[in-house]
Amino acid sequence: MTGLTKFFVMALDAATEPSAMDQAAKVVDDISGFVWNNILLFVLLGAGLYFTIRTGFVQIRHFGRGWNRVFGDFSLSGSKAGKDGMSSFQALATAIAAQVGTGNIAGCATAIVGGGPGAIFWMWLAAFFGMATIYGEACLAQATKITDKNGEVTGGPVYYITKAFKGGFGKFMAGFFSIAIILALGFMGNMVQSNSISAAFETAFGIPTWIVGIAVAIIAAFIFLGGISRIASFTEKCVPIMAALYLLGGLIILIINIKNVPGAFASIFAGAFTPEAIVGGTAGIAIKEAIRKGVARGLFSNEAGMGSTPHAHAIAKVDKPQEQGEVAMIGVFIDTFVVLTMTALVILSTGVLQKGTAFGFGTDNKDFTGTVVAQVAFEHGFGGIGPKFVALCLLFFAFSTIIGWYFFARQNIKYLFGDKAIIPFTLIVVACVFCGSLLKVELVWNLSDLFNALMVLPNILALLFLGGVIAKFAKGENVKL
């Protein structure tokens, strides 16, 4: 370890007393779990159902148009992004960069382990309704975007929150949202992502975490300091490549286990309604767990209703807000119905969750969850290179999430403090990326989850308050806010 690395490790270790840290982490985890499982799960799913009805099932009626807009504008080197915004595809790629992350691997596996194969069905259901929610977010973000004094287009939930709630209350809600997203994604969230990368590379390749941390921090800084133009250029190239790499690897596994694929699909539908009882429980409890795990993990993965992706959709160069709303729906579809479903089918078709598996794990093993499940599943098809493949995919997924989350938080730093704060903020995020790779601080992970939950509240309240406006957008009407 270099002297600088030792300094950071010692500083982080000295800043907290282990037992107090563990206790604080547990308290925060309990609060976060309560908010997610008992409040936001129902709020987000309910909002998705509400917007589905208010928009006349816009995710079905306009799906084809959204698909054509995305792939009709597809390019690895599209129009140059600048002060006037991004192309529609670049905005979508930036949104997907944040949506398609470690949750598509670790989150999917955790949902299956905790809720059974049926959890995937409920993930699909949450995503289906979430497509209507994200349609509303993108339309409102487009309708309320502004051009600042420097001629740069900017937007996000803070602007439609202040339209929904006038006066001091609206400013308070917008400020609360900004602070929550800066902490949740810009600082703590990016520490979590860099930790995932460094841990995976140390396990798969034996590379020390501090080396991975330095490399990730330097590359991230290069992209951050290039502004919107460089971020857009990176995401429009990285997102298609990372998706193609992961889907190709998953497809190979499915071909190898082709005889098991129909059974994997069947287990998802059977598990959603008539699952086997969880050990020590009843069938009713098993169904409840399948729903809870699937919906919660699904909503966390696709980010519909969380207020993150509207920052990217706001600055897309489109003629009407509805056009980017239709594009935004495709982002949720790709995240859940394509990438996450591939993970689920790989896990289920390889049979790694069977008790007594040859890989030395069983469903009763507390360590057999998250990324480990996916690594074992890919090892079943690729042999020794399986864990390395997952580590490489995690690099793409987590690093692209770092870029997307930085951009979302950056827009809110600009809203609160102006352009002068962007460079100091960027340097702090780079430091967080490096420090996060050094050691896993459980409290930081749990705080990230909690602030993720808190930022949802002002965003979803504003969406519900402006539900009539979203309905008008879905009807093709021109709306001025």
Side-chain angles (χ1 to χ4, degrees):
M1 256 190 204
T2 65
L4 181 62
T5 303
K6 288 182 180 178
F7 169 78
F8 275 113
V9 173
M10 291 173 64
L12 287 170
D13 285 341
T16 54
E17 197 276 324
S19 60
M21 174 75 103
D22 293 341
Q23 291 175 4
K26 186 179 185 308
V27 170
V28 173
D29 186 46
D30 289 342
I31 296 172
S32 177
F34 175 83
V35 173
W36 271 105
N37 296 327
N38 297 286
I39 301 175
L40 292 187
L41 187 152
F42 301 102
V43 169
L44 287 170
L45 191 60
L49 179 60
Y50 169 75
F51 290 122
T52 295
I53 295 171
R54 285 299 303 264
T55 61
F57 286 81
V58 68
Q59 64 268 61
I60 296 177
R61 294 190 297 109
H62 292 179
F63 181 84
R65 286 162 57 170
W67 186 268
N68 291 335
R69 291 188 193 283
V70 170
F71 293 99
D73 195 25
F74 174 79
S75 172
L76 293 180
S77 55
S79 61
K80 185 174 177 60
K83 287 186 175 182
D84 61 338
M86 303 177 181
S87 71
S88 182
F89 178 76
Q90 287 171 332
L92 175 66
T94 303
I96 292 178
Q99 288 171 303
V100 178
T102 54
N104 293 79
I105 296 178
C108 174
T110 300
I112 293 175
V113 171
I120 302 304
F121 174 86
W122 299 107
M123 280 184 159
W124 291 341
L125 192 68
F128 174 77
F129 291 129
M131 289 170 72
T133 303
I134 210 165
Y135 173 86
E137 288 182 293
C139 287
L140 290 175
Q142 271 286 320
T144 56
K145 66 183 178 181
I146 65 167
T147 301
D148 64 20
K149 62 183 180 181
N150 298 319
E152 183 174 310
V153 174
T154 187
V158 290
Y159 297 99
Y160 59 72
I161 288 173
T162 53
K163 292 290 184 180
F165 308 111
K166 306 294 184 181
F169 180 69
K171 291 180 179 179
F172 168 77
M173 293 288 277
F176 181 86
F177 172 86
S178 288
I179 293 171
I181 195 171
I182 290 166
L183 293 173
L185 305 187
F187 297 152
M188 290 174 286
N190 280 334
M191 290 183 72
V192 169
Q193 296 298 327
S194 64
N195 181 269
S196 297
I197 296 172
S198 63
F201 266 68
E202 183 179 46
T203 300
F205 301 102
I207 302 175
T209 56
W210 67 270
I211 293 179
V212 178
I214 290 175
V216 171
I218 290 174
I219 298 171
F222 173 76
I223 297 172
F224 294 164
L225 295 173
I228 291 176
S229 177
R230 195 171 293 166
I231 290 172
S233 178
F234 169 80
T235 56
E236 74 175 346
K237 295 176 177 64
C238 175
V239 168
I241 292 172
M242 77 176 188
L245 173 68
Y246 186 69
L247 293 176
L248 178 61
L251 185 61
I252 292 172
I253 299 294
L254 296 186
I255 292 173
I256 293 173
N257 298 279
I258 191 65
K259 293 181 179 179
N260 299 331
V261 173
F265 269 111
S267 69
I268 291 173
F269 289 99
F273 303 104
T274 57
E276 294 179 2
I278 292 176
V279 177
T282 67
I285 294 176
I287 294 173
K288 180 181 178 181
E289 283 299 296
I291 295 173
R292 188 174 69 84
K293 294 289 186 181
V295 172
R297 291 289 175 176
L299 291 169
F300 188 79
S301 174
N302 63 54
E303 300 189 21
M306 290 180 63
S308 52
T309 60
H311 297 93
H313 294 302
I315 64 173
K317 293 179 279 189
V318 293
D319 294 328
K320 297 179 180 180
Q322 292 94 325
E323 294 177 5
Q324 196 59 26
E326 292 162 357
V327 168
M329 295 191 303
I330 304 303
V332 174
F333 180 85
I334 292 172
D335 171 84
T336 302
F337 290 98
V338 179
V339 180
L340 189 143
T341 298
M342 179 61 76
T343 303
L345 292 177
V346 167
I347 291 171
L348 295 174
S349 67
T350 53
V352 296
L353 294 181
Q354 300 292 329
K355 285 189 176 183
T357 175
F359 300 101
F361 290 104
T363 52
D364 56 342
N365 190 313
K366 65 179 181 180
D367 296 321
F368 193 50
T369 188
T371 305
V372 176
V373 176
Q375 286 177 321
V376 172
F378 276 97
E379 186 177 4
H380 184 55
F382 291 158
I385 68 170
K388 294 179 174 61
F389 175 80
V390 173
L392 184 61
C393 290
L394 275 174
L395 170 64
F396 274 106
F397 285 12
F399 186 77
S400 68
T401 299
I402 287 173
I403 302 303
W405 283 359
Y406 162 81
F407 175 72
F408 301 158
R410 175 189 183 274
Q411 300 298 80
N412 287 275
I413 284 288
K414 183 177 177 179
Y415 171 78
L416 290 175
F417 307 110
D419 290 333
K420 64 182 182 296
I422 291 178
I423 294 299
F425 164 71
T426 300
L427 296 177
I428 295 173
V429 174
V430 171
C432 287
V433 169
F434 173 67
C435 292
S437 68
L438 298 179
L439 69 166
K440 180 177 178 179
V441 183
E442 198 68 34
L443 180 59
V444 174
W445 289 64
N446 296 343
L447 281 170
S448 179
D449 282 346
L450 178 59
F451 279 100
N452 259 304
L454 294 178
M455 73 188 228
V456 172
L457 297 175
N459 180 64
I460 209 73
L461 285 175
L463 291 175
L464 291 171
F465 191 84
L466 296 171
V469 175
I470 295 172
K472 290 181 179 179
F473 278 127
K475 294 177 182 177
E477 298 180 22
N478 293 322
V479 183
K480 294 248 183 195
L481 288 175

